[in-house]
Amino acid sequence: MFPRIREDIRSVFERDPAARTAWEVLTCYPGLHAIWGQRLSHWLWTHGLKWLARLNSNLARWLTGIEIHPGAIIGRRFFIDHGMGVVIGETAEIGDDVTLYQGVTLGGVSWNKGKRHPTIRDKVVVGAGAKVLGPFEVGEGARIGSNAVVVKAVPAGATVVGIPARVVQEAHEPSEKVVAIAKSLGFDAYGLTRDMPDPVANAIGSMLEHIQVLDERLVQVCKLLHQMDSRMPELELSKLELPDFCGQTSIASSSAAPDPAQTGPKVRRAV
Ligand SMILES: CC(C)(COP(=O)(O)OP(=O)(O)OC[C@H]1O[C@@H](n2cnc3c(N)ncnc32)[C@H](O)[C@@H]1OP(=O)(O)O)[C@@H](O)C(=O)NCCC(=O)NCCS
């Protein structure tokens, strides 16, 4: 129990610059008190003590202004900042490292029993006053703007705002191949974090992706030509040599035999 409480307190320090001491966090953060109350309620709920679970959750609501149904499934390091007015429904599921601000509702839009509340994946942030309504999924790392009303699934990494919520920023993840090439070049294809978009990094990432596609097409074309006429050489696997500033690393890449005339001063190919 104590390691979990320590973990909860640490997660507050990571996400609230106003937090000063562990004692202050322990005593003055209703979001934490509500989560601890919910852990007890959930245990009671899953052990058949449903009325006691509801009673405990109601007491926690009186004390904190946060209403979490005992049936909700909540992951680790969940943080509700400020908290007043938060409502989390019975069939809501919340992953790890999720942050909610005051006034958030994770609610349903139907009176049917069964799954009717959203599933919030890891590292999602839901802004103050946002309403997420329905049994859909909010993808990992998504961000929901304050006062948004979300009524359909949100892709991982996206930022959504407005009523009804619309995507204003989509996460663009490079393919595995491009990541591998970029790594061997000593370059971060993910272009730093989403909070610090780097246009140069993004441009290089797109070019690497484009080169990768062209290489694959070229290999296919040469294979076909070789099948039609065996005098045509098959494409050989060669290496992409790096410019001097990238050090000595080199990566395997498909390319025709090198043509010194076409090798530029920066990046060139060699067998
Ligand atoms: C949604 C959010 C995460 C976006 O942050 P961001 O990625 O930095 O995006 P930006 O601020 O560049 O905004 C992108 C666009 O969405 C708009 N926007 C941002 N937040 C919005 C919101 N809550 N409602 C409507 N539009 C919003 C911006 O005006 C901008 O529009 P534009 O491209 O036409 O200029 C952030 O605005 C937010 O709402 N965070 C919640 C914070 C919170 O609740 N804090 C409570 C502390 S007590």
Side-chain angles (χ1 to χ4, degrees):
M1 185 171 100
F2 290 111
R4 278 298 283 277
I5 291 177
R6 266 201 292 272
E7 185 180 77
D8 293 332
I9 292 174
R10 260 201 309 275
S11 77
V12 173
F13 279 109
E14 282 160 17
R15 285 175 258 173
D16 182 9
R20 292 181 315 127
T21 63
W23 176 246
E24 186 182 275
V25 171
L26 194 67
T27 51
C28 304
Y29 276 70
L32 282 191
H33 305 150
I35 289 161
W36 296 333
Q38 204 272 346
R39 271 183 209 149
L40 175 60
S41 308
H42 187 68
W43 187 89
L44 295 167
W45 185 261
T46 50
H47 287 77
L49 301 163
K50 297 225 172 356
W51 176 80
L52 215 51
R54 289 301 299 263
L55 182 71
N56 185 61
S57 120
N58 202 33
L59 286 174
R61 176 173 168 268
W62 284 345
L63 291 173
T64 65
I66 296 169
E67 182 176 328
I68 312 178
H69 194 282
I73 297 169
I74 294 179
R76 299 180 74 138
R77 298 173 296 280
F78 178 44
F79 177 43
I80 306 174
D81 202 1
H82 308 292
M84 184 61 81
V86 166
V87 176
I88 299 177
E90 179 187 359
T91 60
E93 291 166 71
I94 297 176
D96 295 334
D97 302 297
V98 169
T99 308
L100 306 189
Y101 289 95
Q102 68 275 16
V104 167
T105 300
L106 304 183
V109 283
S110 90
W111 290 333
N112 297 335
K113 287 203 178 288
K115 175 79 174 162
R116 59 194 184 282
H117 301 105
T119 296
I120 310 290
R121 295 284 175 214
D122 298 351
K123 299 190 186 119
V124 168
V125 177
V126 187
K131 314 286 177 255
V132 187
L133 307 172
F136 51 79
E137 199 175 289
V138 177
E140 186 173 335
R143 295 190 301 167
I144 296 172
S146 48
N147 287 327
V149 178
V150 186
V151 289
K152 58 179 188 212
V154 177
T159 300
V160 298
V161 301
I163 304 175
R166 63 184 198 288
V167 175
V168 286
Q169 220 171 294
E170 281 188 67
H172 173 70
E173 304 284 305
S175 68
E176 276 176 27
K177 273 184 189 166
V178 170
V179 173
I181 294 174
K183 260 194 185 157
S184 16
L185 285 166
F187 169 74
D188 178 7
Y190 285 93
L192 309 177
T193 67
R194 282 189 300 123
D195 296 329
M196 284 192 293
D198 178 346
V200 176
N202 288 340
I204 296 176
S206 303
M207 284 193 289
L208 284 173
E209 208 150 356
H210 193 66
I211 290 169
Q212 176 68 30
V213 172
L214 286 180
D215 274 359
E216 282 173 6
R217 290 278 157 84
L218 197 62
V219 171
Q220 284 168 2
V221 169
C222 288
K223 238 184 209 155
L224 284 175
L225 286 174
H226 182 71
Q227 280 166 10
M228 288 161 66
D229 182 351
S230 58
R231 283 175 304 169
M232 288 295 295
E234 263 211 275
L235 208 58
E236 289 174 37
L237 197 71
S238 68
K239 288 184 173 177
L240 181 66
E241 279 195 359
L242 301 180
D244 291 344
F245 61 79
C246 285
Q248 296 306 307
T249 337
S250 63
I251 58 160
S253 171
S254 48
S255 164
D259 176 1
Q262 291 187 359
T263 55
K266 294 203 170 158
V267 180
R268 64 199 160 82
R269 303 254 163 143
V271 177

